[in-house]
Amino acid sequence: MASSGVRLMTQLARQFEERPEVRYGLTTMCIGIGMGGTVIWENPHYTGEAA
């Protein structure tokens, strides 16, 4: 599906809101023709507090 990367990023953004104690997230996607992409995201809601 062509929009799976957007879905993965949206899901991660929602999880960041729910879990402000998590600082980083990772999204990996298949680009096609044997290639892939990975993005490391930093949570804008990060508080630095343990759960």
Side-chain angles (χ1 to χ4, degrees):
M1 179 176 269
S3 62
S4 61
V6 174
R7 184 192 60 79
L8 291 170
M9 290 184 289
T10 302
Q11 182 180 5
L12 183 59
R14 287 185 184 137
Q15 290 176 1
F16 276 161
E17 284 182 308
E18 294 174 8
R19 302 197 51 199
E21 74 278 5
V22 174
R23 187 165 186 177
Y24 297 105
L26 182 72
T27 304
T28 61
M29 298 166 253
C30 176
I31 297 173
I33 313 173
M35 297 188 301
T38 301
V39 179
I40 298 173
W41 303 89
E42 186 169 11
N43 186 352
H45 305 284
Y46 177 66
T47 60
E49 299 175 12

